[in-house]
Amino acid sequence: MQSVISVENISKQYVIGRRKDESFLTLRDEICSFFGKAKSLFNRTSLQHYGSSEEFWALKDISFQAWQGDRIGIIGKNGAGKSTLLKILSRITEPTSGRISLRGRVASLLEVGTGFHPELTGRENIFLNGAILGMSRAEIKTKFDEIVAFAEVERFLDTPVKRYSSGMYVRLAFSVAAHLEPEILIVDEVLAVGDLQFQKKCLGKMQQVGNEGRTVLFVSHNMGTIRALCNKGLYLIEGNIHKTGSIEEVISAYTLHHASNKGIVTFGQQNTDFVARILSIGVISAGYTNYADTLPFQAPFTVEVIIESNNELEAVVGIGISNSIGEIITTLHSVEIGEEPTIEKLKNLKFKKGINKFYLNINSNILRPGTYIIGCTIFSRSLWQAFDDKPNCITFEVTNHNENRYFDERQSGMVFLSDSQWENR
């Protein structure tokens, strides 16, 4: 069985700045030359800097294969090389080195209005895009009504697309790309432009495309969307492949890599303009004073949050605990959300000026063995404003010393840690 996409040692190099052999001058250079004052205006150092350049590798030795029906989620931080990879696969740009083999028609949606001519109407652009994909006019006419209905732009079909909103652009562009039956569908984060209802329609359509045996490559920063749509993943770090495999494995690697602090994490204090800010978050095992990154199953533990406040105020501390693939399994706040604070709880709202220490004591640890991630947020009393937010910043392990007890690691869901108490000092 042949792969639909075969990528072998793909690299892409860009040049930052200006090459020394580029001879064009700026307007400033021309003016200085005209008045003969270049030497007095620019010293030798600046002239040497002018024309300097730096090589930047957006991708380096990328290799992977995709098979018929694969739905591959490509994830990574901004600047990791995700969009560059999609542009190379879409033949928008050429790689510096390496080889790509694509078997079948490719439809890509990388930017709003990809492949559209702004002066043509929506109707004309449907036929233009179909022709670019290699479809005959008869084939396009067969799918025409479905495309228009899915995009919900029938009223504006004979209007030049330059007058479309960005959301209308995306709806029509995606509908064309998905309905003209390409063997390979490539979609970047562009779907975030559309409204929530249309995003759900798009994800459903991509799921259908994959189930029909076609191949989908999808870039998104939304791990929930990636997990729902894709069955495989590719994780990029600074132009290199860090992890490939099942989507669960790849998302887990991505989430844990960005929460690599174990036991305790501290944050810088460079910003002086703040209401309240988190200085550190730590996990302490019951009976100990040191921070711990490993906790025994069913043993109590404490989450310590040290906060600096610029003034006295009333605020709420929220702790979120996620599993290894980034799913929130529980959230705990220093007051009961939706209830008026009692006298006993009011002390957990009050921040004194300076350093405040909050402790969340979890007396019954019912978290199943595995890896967990903690994030913390400081809210205003009304919960409408977040003074500081530190998501997914610290990890800890729950271990099972009872080897006879079996846990299904695939199970997940919300956990209610009812036996927990807050205190501030």
Side-chain angles (χ1 to χ4, degrees):
M1 180 179 178
Q2 284 188 321
S3 58
V4 176
I5 302 173
S6 178
V7 176
E8 300 176 19
N9 302 316
I10 287 296
S11 296
K12 180 62 179 179
Q13 182 194 65
Y14 292 102
V15 176
I16 302 173
R18 184 185 302 176
R19 294 183 183 275
K20 294 181 180 179
D21 57 357
E22 291 180 340
S23 59
F24 63 85
L25 300 177
T26 64
L27 176 62
R28 184 180 66 176
D29 302 327
E30 294 283 5
I31 293 173
C32 292
S33 176
F34 179 78
F35 287 102
K37 297 180 180 179
K39 290 185 179 180
S40 62
L41 291 176
F42 301 102
N43 59 33
R44 182 176 298 276
T45 303
S46 64
L47 284 171
Q48 289 175 343
H49 180 73
Y50 173 82
S52 64
S53 63
E54 176 187 352
E55 294 180 351
F56 171 72
W57 290 93
L59 295 174
K60 190 66 176 176
D61 294 329
I62 299 293
S63 298
F64 70 93
Q65 291 186 324
W67 307 89
Q68 184 177 356
D70 281 350
R71 300 184 302 276
I72 300 177
I74 303 175
I75 61 178
K77 292 173 61 178
N78 290 331
K82 305 183 298 297
S83 295
T84 300
L85 176 59
L86 294 194
K87 287 179 180 179
I88 291 175
L89 292 173
S90 301
R91 297 171 181 166
I92 294 173
T93 186
E94 293 183 357
T96 304
S97 62
R99 181 176 178 272
I100 295 175
S101 175
L102 301 173
R103 295 177 178 85
R105 283 187 299 228
V106 178
S108 60
L109 185 58
L110 308 184
E111 296 176 359
V112 176
T114 300
F116 277 18
H117 192 295
E119 299 295 336
L120 300 182
T121 66
R123 183 187 305 273
E124 291 166 335
N125 271 297
I126 292 174
F127 284 94
L128 174 64
N129 262 246
I132 291 172
L133 288 174
M135 307 287 289
S136 68
R137 186 175 181 83
E139 288 177 292
I140 299 169
K141 290 180 70 173
T142 302
K143 292 285 184 179
F144 187 85
D145 290 341
E146 290 181 43
I147 293 170
V148 175
F150 188 91
E152 301 172 2
V153 294
E154 184 174 4
R155 183 180 175 188
F156 308 98
L157 198 56
D158 294 309
T159 301
V161 296
K162 67 180 180 180
R163 298 177 187 166
Y164 283 17
S165 68
S166 58
M168 293 167 63
Y169 245 119
V170 169
R171 291 205 301 269
L172 186 58
F174 178 84
S175 188
V176 171
H179 282 82
L180 293 181
E181 299 185 353
E183 281 74 28
I184 302 169
L185 178 61
I186 300 175
V187 183
D188 205 340
E189 189 77 73
V190 67
L191 291 185
V193 176
D195 57 65
L196 184 61
Q197 181 181 0
F198 188 74
Q199 287 180 35
K200 291 180 179 178
K201 283 180 65 175
C202 291
L203 294 174
K205 184 63 179 177
M206 286 193 285
Q207 189 90 41
Q208 177 187 337
V209 166
N211 292 337
E212 291 173 353
R214 286 173 274 169
T215 304
V216 178
L217 275 71
F218 181 50
V219 165
S220 178
H221 290 282
N222 188 323
M223 293 302 107
T225 301
I226 287 277
R227 185 167 181 262
L229 173 68
C230 303
N231 59 355
K232 294 183 179 179
L234 190 155
Y235 175 22
L236 294 178
I237 297 180
E238 297 181 352
N240 295 279
I241 292 182
H242 180 73
K243 178 74 174 179
T244 59
S246 71
I247 196 61
E248 303 283 353
E249 294 172 337
V250 172
I251 291 178
S252 179
Y254 173 79
T255 305
L256 294 177
H257 184 267
H258 290 279
S260 57
N261 302 288
K262 295 186 176 182
I264 184 173
V265 58
T266 57
F267 304 98
Q269 305 178 35
Q270 294 86 357
N271 181 19
T272 57
D273 182 19
F274 66 95
V275 177
R277 61 186 178 187
I278 300 167
L279 299 183
S280 71
I281 305 171
V283 176
I284 305 171
S285 186
Y288 296 88
T289 57
N290 295 331
Y291 300 104
D293 58 11
T294 302
L295 304 172
F297 175 63
Q298 294 183 324
F301 69 96
T302 297
V303 179
E304 175 196 73
V305 183
I306 299 179
I307 295 170
E308 183 180 6
S309 178
N310 234 344
N311 292 289
E312 292 185 1
L313 79 153
E314 293 183 356
V316 177
V317 183
I319 294 291
I321 301 179
S322 308
N323 61 17
S324 62
I325 59 173
E327 296 174 319
I328 290 285
I329 60 170
T330 192
T331 54
L332 298 157
H333 296 85
S334 56
V335 294
E336 293 293 333
I337 302 303
E339 296 183 8
E340 191 66 25
T342 63
I343 297 298
E344 292 77 16
K345 293 177 179 178
L346 193 60
K347 67 177 184 178
N348 292 327
L349 280 173
K350 290 187 177 296
F351 286 43
K352 64 184 179 183
K353 182 177 180 178
I355 303 300
N356 298 262
K357 294 184 178 181
F358 284 82
Y359 294 89
L360 172 60
N361 301 309
I362 299 175
N363 301 314
S364 179
N365 176 16
I366 61 171
L367 300 175
R368 67 176 64 247
T371 302
Y372 295 90
I373 308 162
I374 290 178
C376 181
T377 306
I378 309 172
F379 296 99
S380 63
R381 181 171 177 173
S382 65
L383 301 180
W384 283 104
Q385 181 182 4
F387 298 132
D388 197 3
D389 182 30
K390 296 293 188 289
N392 299 337
C393 55
I394 184 170
T395 64
F396 67 94
E397 298 276 342
V398 175
T399 58
N400 175 26
H401 294 300
N402 183 359
E403 297 181 356
N404 295 323
R405 183 160 185 173
Y406 171 73
F407 294 93
D408 187 351
E409 298 296 337
R410 295 170 299 176
Q411 294 181 3
S412 62
M414 294 297 291
V415 174
F416 186 51
L417 297 175
S418 58
D419 191 10
S420 58
Q421 297 174 332
W422 282 88
E423 59 176 312
N424 59 353
R425 303 173 189 173

